Amino acid sequence: MNILTIDTATDYELISLSTEHGVFEFNENVKMSHSITMFDSIKGILDKASMELQNIDLIAAGVGPGSFTGVRIAVSTARMIAQILDIPLVGLITQDIFAASVENNPDENILVSFDAKKSRVFGALYRGGQRCSHECFMDAGDYSIEFMLSSIPEGSSLLCIGDGCFRYRNIIEEKSALTGVSCRFLENFIPSGASTSCLAMNKYRQSPDKYIFFGNTVPVYARKSDAEIARDAKRTKEG
């Protein structure tokens, strides 16, 4: 099965194509210029694989939570392609994509967090395991880093990835020292196209009927945008 994956919820643009001949991927920090670079990246991956877009059998999109604009770009593009080609579309939580790509110790918990501004992160927590099979024990959402750290067992090990971890590194290290948690940080971590394709395939196989209709895949924003908050406040004031 030929699987095309698109994730643009962070500064990193992940475009991967898994085929019987191997995995082809583009994964670089484009500093949120996805609207400019993404289609060229998709074309470049297809050219590397000597494949036409119509040969794609399954498409997967990172649905966030992360950058609101980045999430919309990936989901809308994937939905458009799935509709045109009439192929299944699988939505993948972006934090799951990063966690699935980690090589970690089996007893090491994983914190994936992206800076969400306003002293918050878009984060998730996972138990250690094999690549592509980590168990999530705090679903991806909009949290304070302190709240996330309160769920880490005392005396355990913690692997931290994502710019949210580096934004609040001092807090993580201080809290970990108090609770006896051994933590390490992976800087500039790049998710794997192969692991992401594996994640997409596993999810599709679990319930293929769910993903036949592209409209079932929607963005996961985790919180309202500033524009929505301002609109709601205006309505409340007017009411």
Side-chain angles (χ1 to χ4, degrees):
M1 179 175 278
N2 299 320
I3 305 172
L4 176 67
T5 301
I6 303 170
D7 182 74
T8 56
T10 70
D11 283 349
Y12 285 96
E13 184 167 288
L14 170 61
I15 310 294
S16 71
L17 176 59
S18 176
T19 75
E20 62 179 4
H21 302 296
V23 178
F24 306 84
E25 62 184 287
F26 172 89
N27 199 337
E28 291 185 11
N29 188 331
V30 299
K31 299 190 181 301
M32 298 309 301
S33 63
H34 304 297
S35 60
I36 300 171
T37 60
M38 184 187 60
F39 286 103
D40 285 340
S41 299
I42 292 174
K43 184 179 184 304
I45 289 299
L46 290 168
D47 289 345
K48 283 183 180 181
S50 300
M51 182 175 292
E52 300 295 330
L53 188 63
Q54 56 264 33
N55 297 128
I56 301 300
D57 302 303
L58 174 67
I59 186 165
V63 298
S67 159
F68 285 30
T69 301
V71 170
R72 284 195 294 269
I73 289 172
V75 173
S76 61
T77 300
R79 287 175 58 148
M80 176 185 69
I81 296 172
Q83 183 179 19
I84 292 172
L85 300 182
D86 192 24
I87 58 175
L89 168 59
V90 175
L92 301 176
I93 295 295
T94 298
Q95 285 76 2
D96 290 354
I97 290 174
F98 277 66
S101 304
V102 170
E103 290 281 6
N104 70 300
N105 300 322
D107 60 348
E108 189 173 43
N109 296 305
I110 304 167
L111 168 61
V112 180
S113 73
F114 309 127
D115 186 11
K117 314 301 182 185
K118 302 180 180 179
S119 300
R120 311 281 288 185
V121 295
F122 293 124
L125 286 169
Y126 305 83
R127 303 188 199 284
Q130 299 298 316
R131 264 193 174 198
C132 201
S133 62
H134 301 297
E135 177 191 354
C136 184
F137 68 93
M138 180 180 286
D139 291 338
D142 173 21
Y143 306 110
S144 69
I145 198 68
E146 291 88 350
F147 177 78
M148 297 199 74
L149 293 172
S150 68
S151 296
I152 305 296
E154 294 188 5
S156 63
S157 298
L158 181 66
L159 174 62
C160 304
I161 58 178
D163 63 359
C165 292
F166 288 88
R167 172 72 174 80
Y168 299 104
R169 182 167 185 163
N170 288 343
I171 296 176
I172 294 173
E173 290 179 335
E174 289 172 5
K175 176 68 173 178
S176 297
L178 292 173
T179 57
V181 172
S182 173
C183 61
R184 64 187 180 103
F185 295 77
L186 291 185
E187 192 168 3
N188 298 320
F189 178 77
I190 299 176
S192 159
S195 295
T196 306
S197 296
C198 171
L199 192 67
M201 176 57 74
N202 288 346
K203 193 169 183 180
Y204 175 68
R205 284 174 174 168
Q206 287 173 5
S207 51
D209 292 343
K210 178 179 178 181
Y211 303 108
I212 292 175
F213 176 53
F214 67 91
N216 290 335
T217 296
V218 297
V220 176
Y221 294 126
R223 76 178 183 206
K224 293 182 179 180
S225 67
D226 289 343
E228 290 174 311
I229 294 172
R231 182 192 63 200
D232 290 347
K234 181 179 179 181
R235 287 176 176 173
T236 300
K237 183 176 180 181
E238 291 175 346

